[in-house]
Amino acid sequence: MGNPPPDSGPEQEGSPVATDRPAADFQQTQATDEFKELRRTHRSFVFPMAVVFLLWYFAYVLLAAYAHDFMSTKVVGNINVGLVLGLLQFVSTFAITAAYVRFANKKLDPKATAIRHELEGDPEGVRP
Amino acid sequence: MIHASLAPFAAAATESTKVGNPWINIAIFGAFVAVTLVIVLRASKNNKTAADYYAGGRSFSGTQNGTAIAGDYLSAASFLGIVGAIAINGYDGFLYSIGFLVAWLVALLLVAELLRNTGKFTMADVLSFRLKQRPVRIAAAISTLAVCLFYLLAQMAGAGALVSLLLGIDDRLGQSLVITIVGGLMILYVLVGGMKGTTWVQIIKACLLIAGTFVMTVWVLAIYGFNLSELLGAAVETAGDPNILNPGLQYGVSETAKLDFLSLGLALVLGTAGLPHVLMRFYTVPTAKEARKSVVWAIWLIGAFYLFTLVLGYGAGALIGADRILAAPGGVNSAAPLLAYELGGSLLLGLIAAVAFATILAVVAGLTITAAASFAHDVYASVIAKGRTTPEKEVKVARRTVLVIGVLSILGGIGAQGQNVAFLVALAFAVAASANLPTILYSLFWKRFSTQGALWSMYGGLGSALILIVFSPVMSGGETAMIPSADFVLFPLKNPGIVSIPLAFFLGWLGTMLDKGREDRATQAEMEVRSLTGVGAEKAVQH
């Protein structure tokens, strides 16, 4: 199979980006409780969040396309519902971003780091 | 907006231009080119390996890369197009800012970090990781090149008209010359600087663009006592139409237009995370954590920028008015430069004009290096040379590809002058969302996903998007169409996303379910473990 050359060292057949360290048994790792826990933690955040923001975005797009009267209702001065909802899209995007960073730093990184260090055999990485 | 806003670029070409002083514009632009060239030359000293050339040695910090992403993403269509669209069409222009921003959550939550952990240089690295190398890599390279080329042509053609407008060059020959100069500069940056040089150009450009728009935003708000409601009131007064604050001015005219709007909304929100030049930027940082930081930083910058465009758009509507904007050379796209001239005279106009040049240059450079990397890494090294090549040879091929792509985009840009270039940008987003995103998501999250599913989804998404565009009103059957004299419209919408994106997702599922072969369990496990933990991820290059 046509694999691109690596930057350093020989490369494994069938895996274009494999590095030259001894191959870890990924299937074994994949079956461990630690990894399953990491995958569950990751997906239990990103999937619901993706559904929420996409629904909220499409609700907004649909309102803007079909509910002109509602969107044109004045709230304060010249500021109408459409503008407020539009600005709320910015707010929700910033909020989800901040929430994800907090979550990833606190919940994902320690778990991922532990598994990585275990696989790479780096004793410093295994934190109590 | 993408459809409507770029079209008048073409119209601008034939009219005369008398705004500001062209020599100030040229001087400021020249200074930008001089400064960035020096930086590119300095950055290129360490361009030795393929990782240096394609991924800037993976040595950029998250903050730097996030700024570069913003520089890559905020094209002239974003800056001039959205400001103009809000000034003319009011609220409907604002809807695009939102789509462009919210799209980044797809990249942040589902793609960026996992991609950084599993890939090396290109999108195809990830897509072909656990599937059959050759066919998937070829398909991914084809869709990468297609998206980049459409994006490039649009930028180059837009550059010609915009630069001509701002420099006061009216005739076709002069414009062609300008396109050649812009193209030549871009080739020089990418050839010499590689990804490192390109990244620095994008960082500088992002800073200039955001600083410039920030100053103008504060200026406009100050005129109205920092009261948004008063600014909106003034915009209504100048426009003489309260509907400028309400949705539907542009997209509410018919049921087809509403559906078209939904289709564009879908393409925008799902297209970003499938744009190859955006995806490639995730490889320029040392770790997945830095990739996360880059996206977060990019979201803040891009979000802030789109908030500025709201103020600038209504500001241009209030201070200049739709009639004067549309009458100016450049039409709807001249709103931002005209506003700069209104606020700060020739000097501010010169600065904003230089920022607009820089914007096009940086975006074009980013697209070129992505296309060159994909050709050299995916097509040449993997398919033509069948892996029997060296990184040095591969980089040499990449550099030659830059030359070829540069010449092609100069010729294409000259050829596309006076054409409706807008459809190219919309096409790039729709193609990216249809051809790339389903396969990216499936291969990252769906264990059973197979080679056949990937090929059906990529070719089906790419093909259906292209075919629907050819038979859409963008190509024929109207004054603003590419071929106004013919009429072979079979599909009523300008944007194919609402059909081609769900179709590509469906084909990916169907192809997988009907695939009799089974993919390698071991590489699936490897990809999943690596994507989430970062084991064996590509490291930064040490110099």
Side-chain angles (χ1 to χ4, degrees):
Chain A
M1 303 297 290
N3 287 322
D7 287 330
S8 54
E11 213 171 344
Q12 272 179 290
E13 191 72 9
S15 165
V17 282
T19 50
D20 49 355
R21 82 170 48 78
D25 189 341
F26 288 106
Q27 266 173 298
Q28 205 177 353
T29 309
Q30 193 185 32
T32 60
D33 288 342
E34 287 82 9
F35 181 77
K36 284 182 185 160
E37 170 69 17
L38 170 66
R39 186 175 60 193
R40 190 165 48 240
T41 315
H42 178 254
R43 294 188 176 181
S44 70
F45 185 92
V46 297
F47 285 170
M49 208 51 119
V51 170
V52 165
F53 86 76
L54 283 174
L55 283 179
W56 160 226
Y57 169 77
F58 284 114
Y60 170 77
V61 171
L62 284 169
L63 280 176
Y66 294 101
H68 291 170
D69 291 340
F70 170 69
M71 296 295 261
S72 308
T73 315
K74 291 271 188 279
V75 181
V76 185
N78 291 308
I79 295 167
N80 58 23
V81 174
L83 192 67
V84 170
L85 289 183
L87 292 174
L88 280 178
Q89 289 282 340
F90 280 77
V91 173
S92 62
T93 301
F94 292 144
I96 291 173
T97 304
Y100 173 71
V101 170
R102 265 179 72 92
F103 174 82
N105 287 343
K106 268 186 155 168
K107 298 278 164 79
L108 293 180
D109 286 352
K111 290 192 175 97
T113 313
I115 297 174
R116 184 170 69 244
H117 285 306
E118 203 172 304
L119 281 174
E120 290 174 346
D122 177 2
E124 282 173 45
V126 187
R127 299 203 181 96
Chain B
M1 178 278 318
I2 280 187
H3 298 292
S5 66
L6 285 175
F9 266 158
T14 51
E15 291 169 48
S16 65
T17 311
K18 291 289 169 282
V19 181
N21 182 343
W23 292 108
I24 295 183
N25 301 349
I26 292 173
I28 297 175
F29 180 55
F32 171 81
V33 170
V35 169
T36 45
L37 264 185
V38 170
I39 291 170
V40 165
L41 282 172
R42 289 178 65 99
S44 64
K45 279 190 186 140
N46 278 326
N47 265 344
K48 293 190 190 80
T49 66
D52 282 324
Y53 192 72
Y54 295 142
R58 310 188 197 286
S59 56
F60 285 97
S61 73
T63 317
Q64 287 170 331
N65 192 45
T67 315
I69 288 176
D72 213 348
Y73 192 65
L74 301 173
S75 68
S78 280
F79 177 37
L80 305 175
I82 291 181
V83 172
I86 294 175
I88 307 290
N89 294 317
Y91 190 84
D92 278 6
F94 183 45
L95 294 161
Y96 293 87
S97 302
I98 293 165
F100 279 132
L101 176 69
V102 173
W104 277 97
L105 287 178
V106 181
L108 175 72
L109 295 179
L110 301 174
V111 178
E113 293 169 47
L114 308 179
L115 187 97
R116 171 63 188 85
N117 275 338
T118 41
K120 193 170 180 181
F121 297 135
T122 63
M123 182 182 82
D125 285 341
V126 177
L127 300 190
S128 65
F129 192 102
R130 65 183 175 90
L131 304 175
K132 291 192 183 61
Q133 280 283 319
R134 271 173 71 101
V136 175
R137 207 172 260 282
I138 293 171
I142 287 174
S143 88
T144 298
L145 290 171
V147 174
C148 287
L149 211 65
F150 288 122
Y151 225 112
L152 260 176
L153 284 184
Q155 298 290 333
M156 291 299 283
L162 169 74
V163 168
S164 310
L165 159 76
L166 294 166
L167 298 185
I169 300 167
D170 301 334
D171 60 302
R172 202 178 160 83
L173 188 71
Q175 274 199 54
S176 306
L177 194 70
V178 169
I179 290 179
T180 312
I181 292 171
V182 170
L185 275 173
M186 171 271 286
I187 293 175
L188 190 67
Y189 281 139
V190 179
L191 217 50
V192 174
M195 190 48 131
K196 233 179 241 176
T198 305
T199 306
W200 280 113
V201 172
Q202 287 168 343
I203 290 174
I204 297 168
K205 167 253 159 140
C207 294
L208 284 175
L209 179 64
I210 289 166
T213 47
F214 174 72
V215 168
M216 283 173 69
T217 302
V218 173
W219 203 322
V220 168
L221 283 176
I223 290 175
Y224 295 99
F226 293 97
N227 184 339
L228 186 63
S229 175
E230 204 167 303
L231 166 66
L232 297 178
V236 169
E237 205 171 300
T238 311
D241 179 8
N243 279 329
I244 193 165
L245 302 182
N246 305 333
L249 209 57
Q250 183 184 6
Y251 278 98
V253 286
S254 67
E255 287 306 309
T256 314
K258 288 178 185 174
L259 212 56
D260 213 355
F261 176 69
L262 294 184
S263 186
L264 188 62
L266 191 68
L268 291 185
V269 81
L270 298 179
T272 299
L275 289 175
H277 65 293
V278 166
L279 297 177
M280 199 172 161
R281 291 231 54 92
F282 298 139
Y283 298 127
T284 63
V285 288
T287 60
K289 202 176 158 91
E290 292 297 319
R292 180 192 310 151
K293 263 193 208 159
S294 354
V295 181
V296 170
W297 189 241
I299 286 177
W300 286 108
L301 289 177
I302 292 167
F305 174 83
Y306 285 134
L307 285 175
F308 297 160
T309 59
L310 178 70
V311 174
L312 295 180
Y314 278 122
L319 290 168
I320 299 158
D323 296 342
R324 268 175 66 202
I325 293 170
L326 287 174
V332 64
N333 292 293
S334 61
L338 284 176
L339 182 65
Y341 188 64
E342 183 88 15
L343 293 173
S346 294
L347 191 66
L348 190 60
L349 175 68
L351 280 170
I352 293 304
V355 167
F357 295 133
T359 291
I360 288 172
L361 211 54
V363 174
V364 164
L367 288 163
T368 306
I369 194 154
T370 305
S374 181
F375 182 80
H377 184 65
D378 299 326
V379 179
Y380 171 76
S382 300
V383 178
I384 297 176
K386 299 194 194 309
R388 282 183 291 276
T389 177
T390 60
E392 290 75 28
K393 187 87 210 304
E394 199 185 307
V395 170
K396 204 183 259 176
V397 171
R399 284 182 201 263
R400 282 187 196 148
T401 316
V402 168
L403 270 178
V404 173
I405 291 170
V407 171
L408 277 180
S409 58
I410 289 172
L411 292 177
I414 291 173
Q417 271 184 96
Q419 295 277 14
N420 182 346
V421 296
F423 91 106
L424 295 168
V425 175
L427 184 55
F429 263 84
V431 169
S434 322
N436 300 342
L437 191 72
T439 305
I440 292 173
L441 293 182
Y442 281 145
S443 48
L444 286 172
F445 294 105
W446 187 22
K447 208 178 232 178
R448 224 192 119 177
F449 190 52
S450 77
T451 302
Q452 181 171 298
L455 295 177
W456 285 22
S457 174
M458 279 193 278
Y459 287 125
L462 181 68
S464 62
L466 290 178
I467 290 168
L468 289 178
I469 293 253
V470 166
F471 293 107
S472 78
V474 183
M475 278 301 278
S476 68
E479 278 174 31
T480 54
M482 284 282 287
I483 311 167
S485 53
D487 187 352
F488 45 87
V489 177
L490 296 173
F491 181 68
L493 304 182
K494 287 179 177 169
N495 195 294
I498 206 164
V499 176
S500 63
I501 297 169
L503 180 71
F505 274 103
F506 172 73
L507 286 174
W509 172 81
L510 190 69
T512 302
M513 297 319 268
L514 296 179
D515 199 347
K516 290 191 189 75
R518 278 279 178 272
E519 302 301 333
D520 185 6
R521 283 280 296 112
T523 49
Q524 192 280 329
E526 182 180 352
M527 182 170 180
E528 192 170 284
V529 172
R530 285 179 52 167
S531 70
L532 281 169
T533 61
V535 171
E538 296 286 326
K539 299 279 190 293
V541 176
Q542 302 292 330
H543 283 295

